[in-house]
Tab-separated table of all heavy atoms in Angstrom:
chain	number	residue	atom	x	y	z
A	1	SER	N	2.853	3.347	9.111
A	1	SER	CA	3.821	2.432	9.729
A	1	SER	C	4.791	3.184	10.624
A	1	SER	O	5.042	2.790	11.767
A	1	SER	CB	4.588	1.683	8.634
A	1	SER	OG	5.732	1.043	9.154
A	2	ALA	N	5.359	4.273	10.118
A	2	ALA	CA	6.406	4.999	10.846
A	2	ALA	C	5.895	5.603	12.141
A	2	ALA	O	6.592	5.580	13.166
A	2	ALA	CB	6.995	6.091	9.949
A	3	PHE	N	4.680	6.154	12.131
A	3	PHE	CA	4.167	6.884	13.285
A	3	PHE	C	3.215	6.056	14.154
A	3	PHE	O	2.641	6.579	15.102
A	3	PHE	CB	3.472	8.165	12.833
A	3	PHE	CG	4.418	9.212	12.304
A	3	PHE	CD1	4.635	9.352	10.944
A	3	PHE	CD2	5.108	10.040	13.169
A	3	PHE	CE1	5.505	10.309	10.454
A	3	PHE	CE2	5.982	11.003	12.698
A	3	PHE	CZ	6.194	11.144	11.329
A	4	GLY	N	3.057	4.784	13.842
A	4	GLY	CA	2.225	3.928	14.676
A	4	GLY	C	0.758	4.297	14.645
A	4	GLY	O	0.076	4.267	15.673
A	5	LEU	N	0.235	4.633	13.455
A	5	LEU	CA	-1.162	5.028	13.342
A	5	LEU	C	-2.071	3.799	13.389
A	5	LEU	O	-1.622	2.655	13.279
A	5	LEU	CB	-1.375	5.795	12.041
A	5	LEU	CG	-0.432	6.983	11.794
A	5	LEU	CD1	-0.821	7.710	10.516
A	5	LEU	CD2	-0.425	7.936	12.979
A	6	GLY	N	-3.376	4.052	13.526
A	6	GLY	CA	-4.321	2.945	13.585
A	6	GLY	C	-4.394	2.172	12.298
A	6	GLY	O	-4.634	0.963	12.288
A	7	GLY	N	-4.202	2.863	11.178
A	7	GLY	CA	-4.260	2.241	9.865
A	7	GLY	C	-4.335	3.320	8.817
A	7	GLY	O	-4.036	4.486	9.084
A	8	CYS	N	-4.735	2.957	7.596
A	8	CYS	CA	-4.918	3.966	6.553
A	8	CYS	C	-5.915	3.473	5.522
A	8	CYS	O	-6.248	2.289	5.453
A	8	CYS	CB	-3.592	4.363	5.911
A	8	CYS	SG	-2.882	3.149	4.803
A	9	GLU	N	-6.384	4.412	4.734
A	9	GLU	CA	-7.341	4.130	3.681
A	9	GLU	C	-6.666	3.382	2.545
A	9	GLU	O	-5.452	3.436	2.364
A	9	GLU	CB	-7.915	5.463	3.171
A	9	GLU	CG	-9.106	5.332	2.264
A	9	GLU	CD	-9.789	6.676	2.034
A	9	GLU	OE1	-9.113	7.726	2.082
A	9	GLU	OE2	-11.012	6.668	1.819
A	10	SER	N	-7.463	2.676	1.750
A	10	SER	CA	-6.981	2.011	0.549
A	10	SER	C	-8.026	2.171	-0.541
A	10	SER	O	-9.225	2.211	-0.258
A	10	SER	CB	-6.732	0.526	0.825
A	10	SER	OG	-6.381	-0.166	-0.363
A	11	TYR	N	-7.577	2.274	-1.785
A	11	TYR	CA	-8.491	2.372	-2.927
A	11	TYR	C	-8.247	1.215	-3.889
A	11	TYR	O	-7.595	1.374	-4.909
A	11	TYR	CB	-8.297	3.697	-3.661
A	11	TYR	CG	-8.753	4.899	-2.888
A	11	TYR	CD1	-7.834	5.814	-2.402
A	11	TYR	CD2	-10.102	5.125	-2.653
A	11	TYR	CE1	-8.254	6.928	-1.683
A	11	TYR	CE2	-10.522	6.236	-1.942
A	11	TYR	CZ	-9.595	7.128	-1.462
A	11	TYR	OH	-10.009	8.221	-0.754
A	12	PRO	N	-8.758	0.038	-3.589
A	12	PRO	CA	-8.566	-1.070	-4.521
A	12	PRO	C	-9.354	-0.846	-5.806
A	12	PRO	O	-10.560	-0.573	-5.777
A	12	PRO	CB	-9.102	-2.275	-3.738
A	12	PRO	CG	-10.053	-1.705	-2.741
A	12	PRO	CD	-9.525	-0.349	-2.399
A	13	ARG	N	-8.644	-0.882	-6.915
A	13	ARG	CA	-9.270	-0.838	-8.247
A	13	ARG	C	-9.903	0.507	-8.600
A	13	ARG	O	-10.615	0.612	-9.593
A	13	ARG	CB	-10.297	-1.956	-8.384
A	13	ARG	CG	-9.688	-3.348	-8.232
A	13	ARG	CD	-10.725	-4.435	-8.202
A	13	ARG	NE	-10.073	-5.750	-8.126
A	13	ARG	CZ	-10.675	-6.857	-7.712
A	13	ARG	NH1	-11.923	-6.810	-7.324
A	13	ARG	NH2	-10.029	-8.005	-7.679
A	14	VAL	N	-9.698	1.550	-7.805
A	14	VAL	CA	-10.141	2.889	-8.193
A	14	VAL	C	-8.971	3.851	-8.009
A	14	VAL	O	-8.026	3.567	-7.292
A	14	VAL	CB	-11.367	3.367	-7.383
A	14	VAL	CG1	-12.567	2.479	-7.656
A	14	VAL	CG2	-11.069	3.387	-5.894
A	15	PHE	N	-9.059	4.999	-8.696
A	15	PHE	CA	-8.002	6.010	-8.679
A	15	PHE	C	-6.655	5.432	-9.110
A	15	PHE	O	-5.595	5.867	-8.664
A	15	PHE	CB	-7.878	6.672	-7.299
A	15	PHE	CG	-9.132	7.352	-6.848
A	15	PHE	CD1	-9.740	7.019	-5.649
A	15	PHE	CD2	-9.723	8.335	-7.637
A	15	PHE	CE1	-10.903	7.649	-5.234
A	15	PHE	CE2	-10.887	8.969	-7.230
A	15	PHE	CZ	-11.478	8.622	-6.027
A	16	GLU	N	-6.706	4.451	-9.972
A	16	GLU	CA	-5.467	3.882	-10.483
A	16	GLU	C	-4.844	4.828	-11.511
A	16	GLU	O	-5.548	5.540	-12.220
A	16	GLU	CB	-5.743	2.518	-11.134
A	16	GLU	CG	-6.052	1.414	-10.147
A	16	GLU	CD	-4.828	0.979	-9.353
A	16	GLU	OE1	-3.723	1.478	-9.645
A	16	GLU	OE2	-4.982	0.158	-8.449
A	17	PRO	N	-3.492	4.821	-11.591
A	17	PRO	CA	-2.579	3.945	-10.868
A	17	PRO	C	-2.088	4.512	-9.532
A	17	PRO	O	-1.195	3.942	-8.914
A	17	PRO	CB	-1.408	3.813	-11.823
A	17	PRO	CG	-1.319	5.172	-12.450
A	17	PRO	CD	-2.753	5.631	-12.606
A	18	PHE	N	-2.675	5.635	-9.078
A	18	PHE	CA	-2.144	6.298	-7.880
A	18	PHE	C	-2.576	5.593	-6.596
A	18	PHE	O	-1.814	5.524	-5.641
A	18	PHE	CB	-2.586	7.763	-7.867
A	18	PHE	CG	-2.129	8.516	-9.077
A	18	PHE	CD1	-2.987	8.744	-10.144
A	18	PHE	CD2	-0.826	8.970	-9.166
A	18	PHE	CE1	-2.555	9.427	-11.275
A	18	PHE	CE2	-0.380	9.652	-10.294
A	18	PHE	CZ	-1.259	9.870	-11.348
A	19	GLY	N	-3.810	5.090	-6.566
A	19	GLY	CA	-4.275	4.400	-5.388
A	19	GLY	C	-3.683	3.004	-5.277
A	19	GLY	O	-3.263	2.398	-6.266
A	20	GLY	N	-3.666	2.488	-4.079
A	20	GLY	CA	-3.193	1.126	-3.867
A	20	GLY	C	-1.726	1.049	-3.499
A	20	GLY	O	-1.001	2.041	-3.502
A	21	PHE	N	-1.297	-0.165	-3.229
A	21	PHE	CA	0.040	-0.398	-2.683
A	21	PHE	C	0.867	-1.254	-3.632
A	21	PHE	O	0.495	-1.427	-4.792
A	21	PHE	CB	-0.100	-1.018	-1.290
A	21	PHE	CG	-1.076	-0.271	-0.418
A	21	PHE	CD1	-2.208	-0.889	0.096
A	21	PHE	CD2	-0.892	1.081	-0.149
A	21	PHE	CE1	-3.117	-0.197	0.878
A	21	PHE	CE2	-1.793	1.790	0.631
A	21	PHE	CZ	-2.912	1.148	1.143
A	22	ALA	N	1.986	-1.757	-3.171
A	22	ALA	CA	2.891	-2.500	-4.035
A	22	ALA	C	2.211	-3.748	-4.604
A	22	ALA	O	1.364	-4.368	-3.952
A	22	ALA	CB	4.151	-2.890	-3.269
A	23	ASP	N	2.601	-4.098	-5.811
A	23	ASP	CA	1.997	-5.250	-6.469
A	23	ASP	C	2.242	-6.549	-5.705
A	23	ASP	O	1.452	-7.491	-5.808
A	23	ASP	CB	2.550	-5.387	-7.895
A	23	ASP	CG	2.178	-4.205	-8.773
A	23	ASP	OD1	1.148	-3.547	-8.497
A	23	ASP	OD2	2.926	-3.924	-9.729
A	24	ASP	N	3.345	-6.608	-4.969
A	24	ASP	CA	3.676	-7.826	-4.235
A	24	ASP	C	3.343	-7.710	-2.740
A	24	ASP	O	3.935	-8.402	-1.915
A	24	ASP	CB	5.157	-8.183	-4.410
A	24	ASP	CG	6.096	-7.059	-3.985
A	24	ASP	OD1	5.600	-5.973	-3.627
A	24	ASP	OD2	7.331	-7.273	-4.033
A	25	ALA	N	2.389	-6.820	-2.405
A	25	ALA	CA	1.967	-6.652	-1.011
A	25	ALA	C	0.464	-6.859	-0.916
A	25	ALA	O	-0.313	-5.904	-0.842
A	25	ALA	CB	2.355	-5.267	-0.495
A	26	PRO	N	0.002	-8.116	-0.919
A	26	PRO	CA	-1.435	-8.371	-0.860
A	26	PRO	C	-2.016	-8.015	0.503
A	26	PRO	O	-1.309	-7.947	1.510
A	26	PRO	CB	-1.521	-9.883	-1.112
A	26	PRO	CG	-0.214	-10.413	-0.620
A	26	PRO	CD	0.795	-9.354	-0.950
A	27	VAL	N	-3.314	-7.779	0.516
A	27	VAL	CA	-4.030	-7.555	1.769
A	27	VAL	C	-4.321	-8.917	2.396
A	27	VAL	O	-4.884	-9.804	1.746
A	27	VAL	CB	-5.347	-6.793	1.523
A	27	VAL	CG1	-6.095	-6.578	2.836
A	27	VAL	CG2	-5.069	-5.462	0.840
A	28	GLU	N	-3.935	-9.079	3.632
A	28	GLU	CA	-4.171	-10.327	4.344
A	28	GLU	C	-4.854	-10.027	5.666
A	28	GLU	O	-4.291	-9.323	6.512
A	28	GLU	CB	-2.844	-11.067	4.577
A	28	GLU	CG	-2.148	-11.456	3.268
A	28	GLU	CD	-0.831	-12.169	3.503
A	28	GLU	OE1	-0.298	-12.078	4.631
A	28	GLU	OE2	-0.329	-12.813	2.559
A	29	ALA	N	-6.083	-10.513	5.801
A	29	ALA	CA	-6.880	-10.274	7.013
A	29	ALA	C	-6.943	-8.791	7.355
A	29	ALA	O	-6.820	-8.396	8.509
A	29	ALA	CB	-6.321	-11.076	8.182
A	30	GLY	N	-7.111	-7.973	6.322
A	30	GLY	CA	-7.291	-6.537	6.537
A	30	GLY	C	-6.022	-5.765	6.807
A	30	GLY	O	-6.082	-4.611	7.239
A	31	ARG	N	-4.863	-6.363	6.526
A	31	ARG	CA	-3.597	-5.690	6.795
A	31	ARG	C	-2.678	-5.825	5.578
A	31	ARG	O	-2.778	-6.784	4.797
A	31	ARG	CB	-2.911	-6.264	8.032
A	31	ARG	CG	-3.767	-6.193	9.296
A	31	ARG	CD	-3.024	-6.662	10.525
A	31	ARG	NE	-2.026	-5.669	10.960
A	31	ARG	CZ	-2.302	-4.647	11.760
A	31	ARG	NH1	-3.523	-4.449	12.209
A	31	ARG	NH2	-1.346	-3.806	12.128
A	32	VAL	N	-1.765	-4.854	5.435
A	32	VAL	CA	-0.775	-4.871	4.362
A	32	VAL	C	0.614	-4.822	4.977
A	32	VAL	O	0.889	-3.994	5.858
A	32	VAL	CB	-0.963	-3.669	3.407
A	32	VAL	CG1	0.211	-3.542	2.445
A	32	VAL	CG2	-2.253	-3.828	2.618
A	33	ARG	N	1.483	-5.671	4.500
A	33	ARG	CA	2.853	-5.708	4.990
A	33	ARG	C	3.686	-4.663	4.242
A	33	ARG	O	3.553	-4.504	3.034
A	33	ARG	CB	3.462	-7.093	4.803
A	33	ARG	CG	4.826	-7.248	5.467
A	33	ARG	CD	5.241	-8.703	5.542
A	33	ARG	NE	6.518	-8.851	6.234
A	33	ARG	CZ	6.662	-8.879	7.552
A	33	ARG	NH1	5.587	-8.783	8.327
A	33	ARG	NH2	7.837	-9.020	8.114
A	34	LEU	N	4.535	-3.952	4.966
A	34	LEU	CA	5.406	-2.944	4.364
A	34	LEU	C	6.524	-3.624	3.574
A	34	LEU	O	7.077	-4.641	3.997
A	34	LEU	CB	6.013	-2.040	5.437
A	34	LEU	CG	5.186	-0.835	5.896
A	34	LEU	CD1	5.076	0.197	4.786
A	34	LEU	CD2	3.808	-1.240	6.392
A	35	CYS	N	6.853	-3.038	2.432
A	35	CYS	CA	7.942	-3.545	1.604
A	35	CYS	C	9.249	-2.845	1.974
A	35	CYS	O	9.242	-1.780	2.591
A	35	CYS	CB	7.637	-3.327	0.131
A	35	CYS	SG	6.194	-4.247	-0.448
A	36	GLU	N	10.355	-3.427	1.569
A	36	GLU	CA	11.665	-2.881	1.912
A	36	GLU	C	12.336	-2.163	0.747
A	36	GLU	O	13.535	-1.907	0.792
A	36	GLU	CB	12.572	-3.998	2.437
A	36	GLU	CG	12.141	-4.548	3.792
A	36	GLU	CD	12.171	-3.485	4.892
A	36	GLU	OE1	13.178	-2.759	5.001
A	36	GLU	OE2	11.186	-3.384	5.646
A	37	ARG	N	11.585	-1.843	-0.313
A	37	ARG	CA	12.169	-1.061	-1.407
A	37	ARG	C	12.536	0.333	-0.899
A	37	ARG	O	11.817	0.931	-0.114
A	37	ARG	CB	11.177	-0.917	-2.556
A	37	ARG	CG	10.900	-2.198	-3.297
A	37	ARG	CD	9.940	-1.965	-4.456
A	37	ARG	NE	9.621	-3.238	-5.070
A	37	ARG	CZ	8.641	-4.041	-4.662
A	37	ARG	NH1	7.879	-3.672	-3.636
A	37	ARG	NH2	8.427	-5.189	-5.263
A	38	ALA	N	13.627	0.841	-1.403
A	38	ALA	CA	14.048	2.181	-0.999
A	38	ALA	C	13.043	3.219	-1.491
A	38	ALA	O	12.471	3.094	-2.571
A	38	ALA	CB	15.434	2.495	-1.538
A	39	GLY	N	12.852	4.243	-0.672
A	39	GLY	CA	11.965	5.331	-1.033
A	39	GLY	C	10.504	5.022	-0.770
A	39	GLY	O	10.156	4.158	0.043
A	40	VAL	N	9.632	5.736	-1.470
A	40	VAL	CA	8.189	5.546	-1.325
A	40	VAL	C	7.787	4.151	-1.794
A	40	VAL	O	6.854	3.553	-1.268
A	40	VAL	CB	7.431	6.635	-2.111
A	40	VAL	CG1	5.933	6.360	-2.143
A	40	VAL	CG2	7.682	8.019	-1.491
A	41	GLY	N	8.474	3.624	-2.787
A	41	GLY	CA	8.180	2.290	-3.296
A	41	GLY	C	7.409	2.280	-4.593
A	41	GLY	O	6.830	1.254	-4.966
A	42	ILE	N	7.401	3.414	-5.302
A	42	ILE	CA	6.667	3.511	-6.565
A	42	ILE	C	7.136	2.464	-7.566
A	42	ILE	O	6.352	1.946	-8.369
A	42	ILE	CB	6.800	4.944	-7.118
A	42	ILE	CG1	5.939	5.894	-6.278
A	42	ILE	CG2	6.432	5.023	-8.593
A	42	ILE	CD1	6.149	7.352	-6.575
A	43	GLU	N	8.404	2.116	-7.504
A	43	GLU	CA	8.947	1.140	-8.435
A	43	GLU	C	8.322	-0.244	-8.242
A	43	GLU	O	8.416	-1.100	-9.137
A	43	GLU	CB	10.472	1.048	-8.288
A	43	GLU	CG	11.216	2.291	-8.747
A	43	GLU	CD	11.116	3.478	-7.785
A	43	GLU	OE1	10.622	3.286	-6.633
A	43	GLU	OE2	11.512	4.596	-8.164
A	44	GLY	N	7.700	-0.481	-7.100
A	44	GLY	CA	7.040	-1.750	-6.840
A	44	GLY	C	5.590	-1.787	-7.275
A	44	GLY	O	4.906	-2.797	-7.071
């Protein structure tokens, strides 16, 4: 998001709990919306 890259990899349901994104950030049409939690967002 910060550097305007083409996108990034995702590991749904593998390499848990490290892989994947915030619990309240579903994939929609191949995209994930950034959350506004402070920091990396591990708490989400």
